[in-house]
Amino acid sequence: MIKLTIGEKVWQAAVYTILILLSLLCLLPFLYVVAVSVTPESEVLRRGIVILPESFTFAAYKEVFISHGIGQAYKITLFRTIVGTALNVLFTVLAAYPLSKKYLPGRSPFLIFIVFTMMFSGGLIPTYLLVRSMGLLNSPWVLIIPHLISAFNLVIIKGFFEQLPAEIEESSRVDGASELQSLWRIILPLSLPVLATISLFYAVGHWNSYFDAIVYLNDSSLMPLQVVLRNILLNVATQSADSMANSGAVSQFAVQMAAVVMTTVPILIVYPFMQKHFTKGVLLGSIKG
Amino acid sequence: MQAKLAADAIPRSQKRNSWIRTIQKYKVMYILLFPALVYFAVFKYIPMAGIIIAFKNYNLALGLWDSPWVGFKNFTDFINGVYFWDIMRNTIIISLYKLLFGFSAPIVLALLLNEVYTQWFKKIVQTITYLPHFLSWVIVYGLMVALLAPGDGLINMILKENGVQPISFLTEPAWGRLLVISSEIWKDIGWGAILYLAALAGIDPSLYEAARMDGASKWRQLWHVTLPGIRGVIILMLILKLSHILDAGFDQIFMFANSFNQEKIDIIDTWVYREGLERLKIGLATAVGLFKAVIGFILVLAANKIAKKFDGQIW
């Protein structure tokens, strides 16, 4: 290793300091949210700003569970994320496979047909009127069906299939495998990294989206987690009168923070597993897209 | 079958036959493709046809066909409306600020990370800075409430302890744009850096050695080795972002906007939602959506064209 000059050492110190500060800036809001959500109100009144609470209470969490129906919201969000992602990946792969075959007659008009939708869309209102006329309003499927395939993800998977060596598939075909068999036994196992990445993109999209639920649903028992959190944050009166009964025990602020924690924790749990894949995913996406 | 396809002069009936044969030959492939084609036709192309609403005085009771035609009235109403300049200005200003700062921040982060030789430290910083990208805008707003709420928010608590009047960051129009742009940077700085880090990893280390031999300072190395090394990626990303200049970020603004700060951060998309679905001015809102979609389409095509010129140099 080459010896560093004093100037370079100062530079290194500055770089490390900036990066540490930036990391703290990303982490501290979470720590504060967690601290507020578990600190009893009496301690807040006594001590002022609480970063490290002396005593704990889960009253705020209880309040979120009981009065804001967050259990039901979890169910809807889990349904949306699991079923939605599975269907997304299934239909995207089914379409990407034929489109990856350069010999398929009609391939390029089909591709143009699909890619064009990435550049031009009818927009919010015509889409809303379509969904309404299909009778999908107030059905949980409205969170899944209108986003069945992302053209962008389709193009990424197609690109990945294309660069797999054709000989592997050909040899399986010579052995008598059908198209579906070679897709299932040869292509998919070779494509696990890209499938993981795309599943991740779809799943995060489902977990995080809230706008379609606001537009297409009005039954509060169908509202996903993000919408419930939004209502709590914006102080929109929710569900039952229970919240009135409990409101003396915990501060509104603690309830809001508990709701933030409950919505964030599932992401924090899966994050270490996702992290392996996504760097590759971003690069793939940016190169192919 | 091969022989038939190869034949030069095929009678018409036989030609149609070969067409059917082609479909039969690739039957499985077309069946696999079919659901996707139906999906795009229904959920993407029918709404595209639905933009004729933009040329009608749409009435929910009358429906698409019976609502009266009004020509370009919705468009002229929009352009002459009192809100036109406000939402256009907000959309473009917020987009430009996001472009300026949201675009350069990840580059700076990548350059800083590139200076770090301690692998575990680099990994930890990356892990932490990627994380916010995966949070929804609702959660990010929740974190903003934690920090900025007028009563219990951390920053206002600190202000109060120091005898300063609390500031309603979340509702004060003056803070609106700053909030939108800084939260965007906070959310996506780490994610945006990934691409540049990959490009930086591709720079030949011997170039740095040579620069050091020649006595180049850190700044000179940055200027003459690093930046030229990632210039292609920077230009490409810039062009792609420019094509989205009318997308100021619906999910975010819809969460951050309230009746107080709306004047400063209301954008085309949030306006379309309110006028179209809340106030039921469906024809007008569709016209505005179409206006945006057409400009967006032109920008994307232009961007792609320019980006192609850089292609060979980038990948």
Side-chain angles (χ1 to χ4, degrees), chain A residues 121-133 211 215-216, chain B residues 46-48 50-51 53-54 58 60 269-290:
Chain A
S121 83
L124 176 68
I125 312 284
T127 308
Y128 173 83
L129 293 173
L130 169 75
V131 168
R132 182 170 166 273
S133 72
F211 176 66
V215 172
Y216 297 130
Chain B
I46 290 180
M48 278 185 218
I51 56 187
I53 295 166
Y58 188 82
L60 270 175
D269 291 318
T270 46
W271 187 89
V272 166
Y273 169 79
R274 271 202 327 278
E275 294 301 310
L277 296 183
E278 284 181 354
R279 300 197 186 126
L280 292 178
K281 291 184 192 163
I282 289 177
L284 178 62
T286 309
V288 178
L290 177 59

Side-chain angles (χ1 to χ4, degrees), chain A residues 97-151:
Chain A
Y97 181 60
L99 289 174
S100 71
K101 301 293 169 214
K102 296 215 165 79
Y103 58 74
L104 187 75
R107 181 184 104 118
S108 64
F110 290 141
L111 259 178
I112 293 169
F113 180 78
I114 290 170
V115 170
F116 182 70
T117 64
M118 289 163 72
M119 295 185 269
F120 187 79
S121 83
L124 176 68
I125 312 284
T127 308
Y128 173 83
L129 293 173
L130 169 75
V131 168
R132 182 170 166 273
S133 72
M134 292 175 91
L136 278 173
L137 290 190
N138 250 342
S139 149
W141 291 100
V142 81
L143 304 176
I144 292 175
I145 296 171
H147 313 285
L148 197 57
I149 302 174
S150 136

